[in-house]
């Protein structure tokens, strides 16, 4: 829900390319953190995985290629 609320606020104020750039950067940072195993708490991992998945779901609506980026 956190990701959806943030994205809803941003979509009202940002241009599409700014929006996409912001959320692709977030996904990339999360990917690095997951690869480096920076998260150890299961509830935090679940929360951030859901956050990541919510972002991907919205970005796929803009362009399906973002599912694979």
């Amino acid at each position: 829900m956190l990701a959806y609320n943030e994205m809803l606020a941003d979509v009202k104020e940002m241009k599409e390319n700014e929006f996409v750039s912001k959320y692709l950067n977030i996904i990339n940072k999360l990917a690095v953190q997951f690869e480096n195993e920076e998260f150890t708490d299961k509830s935090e991992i679940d929360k951030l995985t859901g956050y990541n998945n919510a972002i991907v779901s919205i970005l796929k609506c803009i362009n399906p290629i973002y599912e694979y980026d």
Side-chain angles (χ1 to χ4, degrees):
M1 295 303 294
L2 177 64
Y4 289 124
N5 287 331
E6 286 180 22
M7 294 176 87
L8 183 59
D10 285 344
V11 78
K12 293 176 182 178
E13 298 178 11
M14 299 173 115
K15 293 182 180 180
E16 182 179 326
N17 60 340
E18 294 172 317
F19 181 87
V20 169
S21 178
K22 175 181 177 176
Y23 287 97
L24 284 177
N25 285 332
I26 291 172
I27 288 174
N28 290 333
K29 287 178 187 175
L30 285 174
V32 169
Q33 290 174 310
F34 277 119
E35 287 175 15
N36 293 336
E37 298 179 0
E38 293 180 26
F39 307 116
T40 55
D41 181 42
K42 179 158 175 32
S43 64
E44 183 179 27
I45 292 169
D46 291 343
K47 175 185 169 186
L48 293 172
T49 299
Y51 187 82
N52 182 77
N53 293 342
I55 292 171
V56 171
S57 295
I58 298 300
L59 291 178
K60 283 187 333 188
C61 294
I62 295 170
N63 187 338
I65 195 70
Y66 294 127
E67 180 175 14
Y68 306 104
D69 284 349

